[in-house]
Amino acid sequence: AVLPDTIHAVTCGDDGVCWVFDICTGFPVQCLVPDGWAAGKPRPVRSVTTICDSTHIVSAGDAAIGGVAHVWNWREGRHEASLRCGGAFLSSSDDLSARSAILGCADGSATVWNWNSGERVVARMATGHVARFLEGTEDSVFNANESHPVIARALGLVHASLGAVTSVAYTPTSPGHFVTGSADGKVRLWDAGSGTLVRCMMGRHSGRVNAVAAFPDLFKAASGGDDGVINMWDLTSGLLLRRFEQLYAGPVLSLQVVPGGRAFFAGSQDGYVRIWSTESFLLLCGIQTGGGPVRGLALNPSNPMNQVITANEDGLVRVFAPR
């Protein structure tokens, strides 16, 4: 993910470490190491997302039992809070304007985090585990036997009916909603405030959905899956607008939409990043990254069409300038 300052990017991987890089120089500026790593028990970090102040990030991944998410002050390299749930975290998304984040979980749930002024509350109503921390506090995790009704109303626990929630994305045009992709091949639209299902898209992928991305200026979303297909959806009607087929490219692993929605980037199993036009529906160009499957993609908001960052299977992070 590119941090809001557009100068730094953060990556995560199977070694359990989050690295913050300077995009221009490529040099690491911070290394975030969770507890247990030095003891030889690293847990893969599956996703990382930013928080509105450019200083904090949330990393989420596997744990021995269930999943754990960490909140970091990356500038100081300080761990500030943790949350443990019943399934490994697979995906995350953020809505900077609404000060909230969503974590998709392997048990088929997506937990909405709301960040309030001076206080941050995280709740998972299904298990009664609650993590709360205030500014300046470090010992911040506790368990609650019952979910607090106020928290239950303020946040939301969403259960996808089938399969793990493998990808999540907020809809910028409607901050109260978010999109999920699941292992059952379905794309769903949810109400973040109430946790209710708004709409299930009329169609599906033939395999699991690996990535979803929302369009910034339109109530639309794109999804990519194991079938190697990218679908573009109308979130208002649930209809399939367009189907982009990447022959022989393998599963689509990552997606990013350009600000303005004129194009999107898709990273695939074959190590290519392909740029598709949403106006002509044609392939604009392909980038051979040379590092194996493209597990993650990020665009620099200040220069989205000319600076794309990839995280590849070989463990390297690369910055490309498409022309």
Side-chain angles (χ1 to χ4, degrees), residues 148-212:
H148 195 283
V150 174
I151 297 175
R153 289 195 299 269
L155 305 177
L157 180 66
V158 176
H159 285 282
S161 59
L162 293 171
V165 178
T166 56
S167 49
V168 292
Y170 263 107
T171 56
T173 52
S174 180
H177 296 86
F178 65 94
V179 182
T180 63
S182 301
D184 64 353
K186 286 283 190 177
V187 176
R188 297 173 174 88
L189 177 68
W190 302 90
D191 185 296
S194 64
T196 58
L197 176 64
V198 177
R199 187 169 294 105
C200 185
M201 301 302 111
M202 297 179 185
R204 60 178 295 167
H205 291 266
S206 59
R208 65 182 278 153
V209 179
N210 295 319
V212 292

Side-chain angles (χ1 to χ4, degrees), residues 183 205-211 224-229 249-253 269 295:
H205 291 266
S206 59
R208 65 182 278 153
V209 179
N210 295 319
D226 278 352
D227 55 5
V229 173
V252 178
L253 303 177
Q269 183 77 23
R295 295 291 178 183

Side-chain angles (χ1 to χ4, degrees), residues 91-306:
S91 54
S92 60
S93 181
D94 64 318
D95 179 8
L96 303 184
S97 61
R99 299 178 65 82
S100 58
I102 297 176
L103 292 173
C105 205
D107 64 357
S109 67
T111 306
V112 183
W113 298 23
N114 283 347
W115 303 85
N116 300 317
S117 177
E119 184 178 20
R120 305 172 187 183
V121 181
V122 184
R124 191 180 191 282
M125 277 67 75
T127 61
H129 292 291
V130 179
R132 174 195 296 263
F133 67 99
L134 305 178
E135 295 289 350
T137 63
E138 295 183 8
D139 186 12
S140 56
V141 179
F142 67 92
N143 292 330
N145 293 327
E146 296 181 0
S147 303
H148 195 283
V150 174
I151 297 175
R153 289 195 299 269
L155 305 177
L157 180 66
V158 176
H159 285 282
S161 59
L162 293 171
V165 178
T166 56
S167 49
V168 292
Y170 263 107
T171 56
T173 52
S174 180
H177 296 86
F178 65 94
V179 182
T180 63
S182 301
D184 64 353
K186 286 283 190 177
V187 176
R188 297 173 174 88
L189 177 68
W190 302 90
D191 185 296
S194 64
T196 58
L197 176 64
V198 177
R199 187 169 294 105
C200 185
M201 301 302 111
M202 297 179 185
R204 60 178 295 167
H205 291 266
S206 59
R208 65 182 278 153
V209 179
N210 295 319
V212 292
F215 285 76
D217 300 327
L218 300 168
F219 204 42
K220 297 178 181 178
S223 62
D226 278 352
D227 55 5
V229 173
I230 303 163
N231 290 330
M232 189 165 71
W233 307 95
D234 184 329
L235 298 179
T236 302
S237 63
L239 295 176
L240 178 64
L241 297 176
R242 196 76 184 185
R243 182 180 174 92
F244 300 83
E245 296 193 17
Q246 301 188 148
L247 298 177
Y248 313 114
V252 178
L253 303 177
S254 49
L255 283 174
Q256 285 288 335
V257 176
V258 173
R262 296 179 295 105
F264 63 83
F265 289 64
S268 301
Q269 183 77 23
D270 64 354
Y272 274 81
V273 173
R274 293 172 175 84
I275 307 174
W276 293 89
S277 170
T278 58
E279 297 173 341
S280 64
F281 307 115
L282 296 176
L283 179 64
L284 299 180
C285 73
I287 305 169
Q288 185 177 13
T289 63
V294 183
R295 295 291 178 183
L297 270 178
L299 305 180
N300 192 330
S302 64
N303 195 12
M305 289 299 291
N306 292 314

